[in-house]
Amino acid sequence: MLEVSGLTKIYGPKDNQVRALDEVSFSIEQGEIALIVGSSGSGKSTLLNMIGLLDRPTKGHIRIDGVDTTTLNDGAISTFRNRKLGFIFQFSNLLSDLSVLENVLLPLQISGRDYTEEDAKELLRAVGLDDQISKRANKISGGQAQRAAIARGLINKPSIVLADEPTGNLDSLTSEKIVELIKSMAKRLNQTFIIVTHDREHFGDVDRIITIKDGKAFQDEQMEITA
């Protein structure tokens, strides 16, 4: 599903370079939940941006579904990202003037895929928002907004869903419910999730934990990678 090999990202001029990622290598299989953990500034967000094709590596390779994404041009990257990747952010980033249903449908509209509203309604039922479908996004709670964001991240049936601190803006009880929801959707859809989090323990047992420190990936007891 995902293979990262020798991934390196260097910022700045030669006399003042910052090596945000340093020869990071690992793989993730279909249907796994993987956490990326590390202290602030360790490189975990940079790694997520690389996998999400939001930034290009200095060197190394990222293969998704067998495609070496580092060889794609900008237009091909945009198309690949829209069709193969889903995103969930710390803040739901719903458009407040659109309904919950309209927000979930946006990725399909952007990708140009054929769709029916029933596709989105089915996902909204699965995340427990069947009674919120017609409400404006600014009229629902934070937990409900994050549930809608999960549905939006899944709507284009992506190969991988990337989540950046998906519970970071929620209270502990709501966070627990969102973690349970992510796990249930991963199991139900055989969906791959890669999650950046500062709170490793909050997610309990997962398939892989990638610990980033000073731009390097370190082996974890629940992982099968080498740095």
Side-chain angles (χ1 to χ4, degrees), residues 92 94 99-101 103-104 120-137 139-152 178 181 185:
S92 63
L94 300 182
S99 70
V100 170
L101 177 62
N103 270 280
V104 173
K121 289 178 179 178
E122 182 178 351
L123 269 177
L124 286 167
R125 284 193 289 269
V127 299
L129 290 179
D130 49 311
D131 59 344
Q132 306 293 323
I133 286 175
S134 299
K135 285 189 177 179
R136 297 290 179 186
K139 299 297 183 181
I140 61 177
S141 70
Q144 289 171 331
Q146 201 64 325
R147 286 174 176 267
I150 291 172
R152 183 184 57 189
I178 293 299
L181 177 59
M185 297 305 288

Side-chain angles (χ1 to χ4, degrees), residues 6 16 24 28 46 134 171 179:
N16 190 28
V24 171
I28 295 172
T46 299
S134 299
D171 61 72
V179 169

Side-chain angles (χ1 to χ4, degrees), residues 93-112:
N93 290 345
L94 300 182
L95 298 182
S96 59
D97 58 336
L98 297 182
S99 70
V100 170
L101 177 62
E102 290 168 335
N103 270 280
V104 173
L105 286 170
L106 275 178
L108 291 178
Q109 296 168 343
I110 292 171
S111 68

Side-chain angles (χ1 to χ4, degrees), residues 38-100:
S39 60
S40 178
S42 62
K44 60 184 186 297
S45 292
T46 299
L47 176 57
L48 197 72
N49 285 341
M50 297 290 111
I51 298 171
L53 310 183
L54 300 173
D55 198 1
R56 288 184 178 270
T58 304
K59 65 176 183 178
H61 299 274
I62 302 168
R63 293 178 176 85
I64 299 173
D65 278 354
V67 176
D68 187 347
T69 61
T70 56
T71 67
L72 302 178
N73 61 33
D74 289 344
I77 281 178
S78 180
T79 299
F80 189 91
R81 182 172 56 240
N82 288 337
R83 294 184 176 180
K84 291 288 186 177
L85 300 175
F87 295 88
I88 304 169
F89 304 98
Q90 178 176 352
F91 301 94
S92 63
N93 290 345
L94 300 182
L95 298 182
S96 59
D97 58 336
L98 297 182
S99 70
V100 170

Side-chain angles (χ1 to χ4, degrees), residues 112-127:
R113 288 184 176 181
D114 292 332
Y115 67 90
T116 66
E117 288 189 357
E118 187 58 33
D119 297 326
K121 289 178 179 178
E122 182 178 351
L123 269 177
L124 286 167
R125 284 193 289 269
V127 299

